[in-house]
Amino acid sequence: MQREAVGRGDVKRVDLELTELTLSEHTKPIPGSSGVVELPNRALMCVEHPARFSSVDKMLDTLGGVKTVGKTFANPSRRLELRFRPQDPFCHSVCGNRFPSSNLLLRVRQRVRKKDPKDAEIHMEMLGIISTTYKFQGMADFQCLAVNSEGGKISSLYDKIILRKMENEEFYKEPMPYFLPPAIFSRLDSPVDYSYRPDVCQKALSHLPVDKTDFIGLNRACRPHNAIFVSYTDPTVPSECLEAAKVNWQRVCVKEYDKKGEEHLKEMFEKRPIWSRNAVKANINIPPDKLKLLLPVYAYYMVTGPWRSLWVRLGYDPKTPEAKIYQMLDFRIRCSTKHGYSLPVKAKRSALSYNLPITFNKTAPQPVSVMELPPQEGPSSRDSTPLKYQLKESSYIFREGLLPPHRQMFYQLCDLDVESIKKLVEQNNGQEQQCDERDGWCVIGITDKLRDIISAMIKKVVRAQRPDLPEYPKRRRHRHKSSTVKYWDGEEEEEDEIKDDEGDEEDEFQQEDEIKDDVEDEFQPSEGSENEMETEILDYM
């Protein structure tokens, strides 16, 4: 191979000879060093760490550990967080983006004889294919150290604000400077060339109604879904939907299964005039974003009263005794971990699982590998059966022996498939005189009774699934004279004998009473919450 190099006014011709790759400039080419390397079918992940490190363990600590990296990799929409000070809870993380890659991880080893350095062997081993790579391309957020500067002196606050052991009451009464830094300072970690240009998104949505009280422009204007809200005290109910609701639905109803879903929803409201949102999702297969636009076409939303948070067919007034079975029961479970276990029912939302906005990738089309493409079975496979969006039956129906999927559930009385509950609901059939805003057409106070029944059934199921839970035998509490002893199951017995060892047993019984109180507080129904209903209303505002 020849190469021309341009110098200071003269041209030189340099002859280059291609040789085998060696690890040192002084070593000569090793004959016969090339070979065939087998490519294993092992997928690997690569992290381009933005720092130089000497310890692998310390490097993994900055990423949160192997378990945290695995959880991030399992969720394609998550960004990999890196903290340069992992021991500092106030350290703001740097986020790495996820990119698909097609790299190979090759391990090369050279064995050299001590007596003869020229005699060397090179072994190559292919470890796997790197299909995913995380790159830290953004800027680090501003950092705020927990320090206090008074009188020109800087003192650390970490030992004062971070609890590392149990402290007494005097520790909390000591004066302490305020240190309340925000979780993040900036929502963006990549620079944007703004140049004071008008927002394209705001210009495209300028025809929509905008609240005049907004002083700060939003990135996205509110897109109302044109739902009609009705309160319990309203004298009339709407009989037709808004014209804008029909226009919005016709705009997205382009697939054949969308039209079938519309016909199915229409038939559902003809058979049953009142539905909860989970009940609709469990009986129809429509994407959630399209269901938001379809529901206001055939139903209105009840905000207060016995049918609150339910969708009612347009033109149907639920203030009739026939609508008693469609009333809503807001049931929520409280559980604790006093005995080292928790209720196997997850919460719909929790403040502990809050994620910062910088930890998620924006939705962007990702390149797809040829190996990931689904097989083509025919010319119409692109518009074949859509994804499965239906919920399980347990999302709106309660039966004896089953646990609810969430700790807060909105049940309709007709969906409580329990004989004892049905008898309570039907005990005043034909004798309804007045509709109560809380209990509806049922007997006053029946809501609390239904919650007690469901709570007892859930407690029974948990006891059956967790046989290792502590069970304490029935014991008698000894008194000096005739006294009444209560067992855990409510039985009573008279005691006329006096025991000499009553001192030790009273301490024992006192401990059992405390344990009993803890067990009874495990699963208690709450009075209900409107958080879930308010969340659903916000989708249509």
Side-chain angles (χ1 to χ4, degrees):
M1 177 180 178
Q2 293 182 351
R3 176 184 175 186
E4 292 183 359
V6 180
R8 299 179 180 178
D10 56 347
V11 178
K12 297 181 180 180
R13 184 177 298 275
V14 182
D15 295 332
L16 300 178
E17 182 180 2
L18 292 177
T19 58
E20 294 184 0
L21 179 65
T22 59
L23 300 179
S24 176
E25 297 179 357
H26 305 286
T27 57
K28 296 182 179 180
I30 302 175
S33 59
S34 61
V36 180
V37 179
E38 183 180 357
L39 185 63
N41 188 15
R42 181 191 299 174
L44 301 176
M45 180 191 68
C46 175
V47 178
E48 296 185 1
H49 204 285
R52 299 179 61 182
F53 52 88
S54 57
S55 174
V56 179
D57 296 334
K58 292 183 178 180
M59 182 271 298
L60 290 176
D61 291 340
T62 60
L63 300 176
V66 179
K67 184 179 295 185
T68 303
V69 175
K71 289 182 179 179
T72 305
F73 178 75
N75 189 355
S77 62
R78 289 293 301 271
R79 305 176 72 190
L80 184 61
E81 296 186 60
L82 183 147
R83 289 179 171 82
F84 290 102
R85 305 187 311 277
Q87 71 281 357
D88 186 1
F90 302 103
C91 177
H92 292 181
S93 61
V94 183
C95 295
N97 296 324
R98 176 171 179 159
F99 295 95
S101 58
S102 301
N103 303 327
L104 301 176
L105 181 60
L106 181 66
R107 176 189 291 171
V108 181
R109 296 178 179 177
Q110 183 184 18
R111 302 180 62 183
V112 182
R113 293 179 180 268
K114 294 182 178 179
K115 297 181 180 179
D116 188 6
K118 297 182 180 180
D119 187 5
E121 294 181 358
I122 297 178
H123 298 276
M124 294 182 296
E125 180 184 2
M126 192 68 65
L127 300 181
I129 304 174
I130 302 175
S131 59
T132 303
T133 303
Y134 286 93
K135 300 179 180 181
F136 295 88
Q137 300 174 333
M139 299 182 298
D141 194 11
F142 297 97
Q143 304 294 323
C144 186
L145 301 179
V147 295
N148 183 31
S149 57
E150 289 184 359
K153 296 182 179 180
I154 299 178
S155 59
S156 176
L157 299 177
Y158 287 98
D159 294 335
K160 298 180 180 180
I161 61 179
I162 299 178
L163 297 178
R164 295 184 173 90
K165 60 180 182 179
M166 297 295 294
E167 301 288 350
N168 52 16
E169 185 179 357
E170 297 178 355
F171 175 81
Y172 299 97
K173 293 182 179 180
E174 294 179 357
M176 182 67 56
Y178 290 106
F179 182 75
L180 299 174
I184 54 173
F185 289 99
S186 177
R187 295 175 62 90
L188 302 175
D189 56 358
S190 300
V192 179
D193 186 12
Y194 179 59
S195 301
Y196 296 96
R197 290 174 296 183
D199 193 353
V200 180
C201 298
Q202 288 289 339
K203 185 177 180 180
L205 300 174
S206 59
H207 63 282
L208 297 176
V210 181
D211 191 0
K212 297 291 184 66
T213 59
D214 292 340
F215 296 100
I216 301 177
L218 302 177
N219 292 332
R220 178 179 67 84
C222 295
R223 295 175 289 185
H225 299 289
N226 303 290
I228 302 177
F229 300 99
V230 178
S231 300
Y232 175 76
T233 56
D234 291 346
T236 58
V237 296
S239 58
E240 294 183 359
C241 67
L242 300 178
E243 187 64 27
K246 296 181 181 179
V247 175
N248 284 345
W249 172 245
Q250 294 299 330
R251 178 172 51 86
V252 299
C253 184
V254 293
K255 302 288 185 179
E256 184 65 27
Y257 55 80
D258 293 335
K259 299 178 181 179
K260 292 181 180 179
E262 180 182 1
E263 294 295 330
H264 188 193
L265 184 67
K266 185 178 180 180
E267 294 176 358
M268 288 171 55
F269 276 101
E270 290 177 354
K271 296 179 181 178
R272 173 173 162 178
I274 304 177
W275 289 82
S276 65
R277 192 176 185 182
N278 281 349
V280 173
K281 288 183 177 180
N283 289 274
I284 194 171
N285 189 23
I286 291 182
D289 54 342
K290 293 187 177 181
L291 184 61
K292 288 182 182 180
L293 304 177
L294 179 58
L295 276 175
V297 179
Y298 293 97
Y300 62 90
Y301 190 81
M302 287 291 294
V303 181
T304 58
W307 300 274
R308 68 181 182 93
S309 74
L310 301 179
W311 290 90
V312 186
R313 185 180 65 203
L314 290 170
Y316 181 81
D317 191 356
K319 298 177 185 178
T320 57
E322 291 77 12
K324 177 175 67 173
I325 59 175
Y326 304 120
Q327 292 178 191
M328 190 272 300
L329 176 67
D330 188 351
F331 177 78
R332 190 167 52 155
I333 306 172
R334 291 177 181 173
C335 66
S336 62
T337 57
K338 296 178 181 179
H339 298 294
Y341 65 92
S342 60
L343 185 68
V345 179
K346 63 180 181 179
K348 292 183 180 179
R349 59 179 60 85
S350 174
L352 300 177
S353 60
Y354 173 75
N355 297 303
L356 296 174
I358 61 173
T359 60
F360 281 90
N361 282 323
K362 293 184 178 180
T363 56
Q366 297 290 340
V368 182
S369 173
V370 179
M371 301 174 62
E372 298 176 356
L373 292 176
Q376 298 286 340
E377 297 182 357
S380 61
S381 61
R382 181 175 297 180
D383 288 336
S384 59
T385 306
L387 298 176
K388 193 73 171 177
Y389 297 102
Q390 284 184 249
L391 299 180
K392 295 182 179 180
E393 193 181 48
S394 60
S395 62
Y396 75 102
I397 294 180
F398 178 78
R399 291 188 177 92
E400 187 175 2
L402 298 178
L403 289 176
H406 302 285
R407 294 179 184 176
Q408 182 186 10
M409 297 295 299
F410 285 167
Y411 291 117
Q412 290 182 259
L413 299 184
C414 59
D415 296 328
L416 299 175
D417 192 8
V418 180
E419 290 299 328
S420 57
I421 293 179
K422 292 180 180 179
K423 291 180 180 180
L424 286 177
V425 175
E426 299 173 355
Q427 63 180 347
N428 65 334
N429 282 356
Q431 301 177 1
E432 301 90 346
Q433 297 179 357
Q434 187 177 2
C435 182
D436 183 67
E437 187 173 358
R438 184 174 184 268
D439 296 316
W441 293 103
C442 297
V443 180
I444 301 299
I446 195 175
T447 303
D448 298 330
K449 294 181 180 179
L450 297 182
R451 288 171 178 164
D452 293 341
I453 294 175
I454 297 177
S455 180
M457 292 181 177
I458 293 175
K459 183 177 179 180
K460 182 178 179 181
V461 173
V462 173
R463 287 291 183 183
Q465 293 183 358
R466 302 286 184 88
D468 55 335
L469 296 184
E471 290 285 352
Y472 300 94
K474 305 173 185 177
R475 296 195 181 185
R476 301 175 180 177
R477 181 173 300 175
H478 304 282
R479 304 292 184 183
H480 280 285
K481 295 184 180 180
S482 178
S483 61
T484 302
V485 177
K486 281 193 175 183
Y487 289 116
W488 283 29
D489 55 358
E491 296 180 0
E492 298 183 357
E493 182 172 323
E494 297 294 331
E495 285 292 330
D496 295 329
E497 299 178 358
I498 300 177
K499 299 292 184 179
D500 297 334
D501 55 348
E502 61 184 15
D504 297 337
E505 293 197 4
E506 282 184 359
D507 297 337
E508 191 174 319
F509 287 129
Q510 183 178 0
Q511 183 180 3
E512 290 181 8
D513 287 342
E514 294 177 357
I515 297 175
K516 172 187 172 183
D517 294 337
D518 293 345
V519 174
E520 290 180 349
D521 290 340
E522 286 295 329
F523 316 107
Q524 293 295 334
S526 69
E527 291 298 328
S529 174
E530 297 184 0
N531 294 337
E532 199 70 22
M533 184 189 68
E534 292 173 358
T535 303
E536 189 170 355
I537 291 177
L538 289 177
D539 292 340
Y540 291 90
M541 295 299 291

